[in-house]
């Protein structure tokens, strides 16, 4: 697994402060690398010195989920690092719309709308962690973006799909701990900008 130095988060903050000068591919690489680093920190905390005194053995579901997310995130990071900048996505990643894809019905329906629906179904919280939002979206049929079905989403893939809509994950303090997540207002603003209902 890739271990990232703390300076990477400082670099990401510096680059994201001037998004107009940064290439989207580079921002996605930084997001992917930081997500790997955060998952490493979560796994390390769970295995060595968790705050609540539990261990990975006592939380096998959480440990397995974190480990799988970490492996998927590293695969996505490696794909980003080996894809030439501005090149089209590999053909193997492109999926056709599912049978019940709302976007294929002729009505305008975007991933932003799907995220707002997920917030509604969750009781309209002010924020939702990336993992929770992805978990809700994975149950949806059809295509989330031009490359992945909803069922194939990961937090990194969702961030890549949402980036063109101006929605980016941020570190949010939830009751249990700080996590990467999304503010509901970010989706509302994106929907208004796109003229969504």
């Amino acid at each position: 697994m890739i271990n990232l130095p703390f300076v990477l988060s400082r670099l990401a903050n510096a680059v994201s402060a001037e998004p107009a000068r940064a290439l989207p591919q580079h921002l996605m690489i930084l997001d992917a690398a930081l997500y790997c680093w955060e998952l490493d920190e979560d796994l390390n905390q769970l295995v060595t010195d968790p705050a609540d005194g539990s261990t990975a053995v006592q939380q096998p579901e959480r440990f397995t989920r974190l480990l799988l997310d970490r492996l998927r995130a590293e695969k996505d990071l490696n794909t980003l690092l080996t894809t030439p900048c501005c090149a089209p996505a590999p053909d193997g990643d492109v999926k056709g719309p599912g049978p019940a894809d709302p976007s294929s019905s002729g009505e305008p329906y975007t991933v932003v709308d799907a995220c707002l629906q997920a917030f509604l179904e969750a009781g309209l919280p002010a924020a939702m962690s990336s993992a929770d939002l992805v978990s809700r979206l994975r149950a949806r049929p059809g295509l989330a973006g031009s490359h992945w079905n909803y069922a194939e989403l990961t937090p990194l893939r969702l961030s890549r799909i949402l980036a063109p809509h101006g929605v980016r994950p941020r570190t949010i303090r939830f009751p249990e701990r700080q996590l990467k997540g999304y503010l509901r207002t970010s989706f509302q603003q994106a929907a208004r900008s796109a003229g969504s209902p």
Side-chain angles (χ1 to χ4, degrees):
M1 290 186 183
I2 300 168
N3 290 314
L4 302 166
F6 175 73
V7 72
L8 187 59
S9 62
R10 292 175 57 199
L11 175 63
N13 288 335
V15 172
S16 62
E18 294 286 343
R21 296 182 187 174
L23 291 173
Q25 176 85 359
H26 295 169
L27 291 173
M28 287 190 288
I29 289 170
L30 283 171
D31 283 344
L34 284 171
Y35 184 57
C36 286
W37 182 58
E38 289 169 359
L39 287 170
D40 284 342
E41 292 294 309
D42 288 346
L43 282 166
N44 186 50
Q45 182 182 11
L46 186 64
V47 172
T48 58
D49 188 25
D52 62 0
S54 61
T55 65
V57 173
Q58 294 168 326
Q59 297 184 26
E61 295 87 6
R62 182 169 176 237
F63 176 73
T64 302
R65 181 179 50 81
L66 281 172
L67 191 56
L68 287 173
D69 284 348
R70 178 59 179 85
L71 293 172
R72 286 186 195 110
E74 185 166 342
K75 180 182 176 191
D76 288 343
L77 176 58
N78 288 333
T79 300
L80 282 170
L81 290 171
T82 57
T83 302
C85 188
C86 304
D91 291 338
D93 286 345
V94 179
K95 308 287 187 220
D101 183 5
S103 64
S104 65
S105 67
E107 298 176 18
Y109 192 87
T110 67
V111 69
V112 171
D113 297 317
C115 291
L116 283 170
Q117 183 64 32
F119 271 88
L120 179 64
E121 291 165 0
L124 295 175
M128 194 181 302
S129 74
S130 296
D132 287 345
L133 182 56
V134 164
S135 177
R136 288 179 176 277
L137 291 173
R138 280 182 184 161
R140 299 186 65 84
L143 210 58
S146 60
H147 298 90
W148 297 289
N149 289 316
Y150 283 104
E152 300 172 310
L153 283 183
T154 65
L156 175 61
R157 288 174 179 174
L158 179 62
S159 73
R160 290 174 67 182
I161 293 168
L162 290 173
H165 298 279
V167 179
R168 293 177 58 85
R170 59 182 70 197
T171 302
I172 301 171
R173 182 171 295 281
F174 291 93
E176 60 275 6
R177 60 192 171 124
Q178 287 194 100
L179 297 167
K180 279 289 190 185
Y182 295 91
L183 298 176
R184 178 165 42 95
T185 54
S186 299
F187 293 106
Q188 291 169 330
Q189 183 177 0
R192 281 193 299 270
S193 298
S196 296

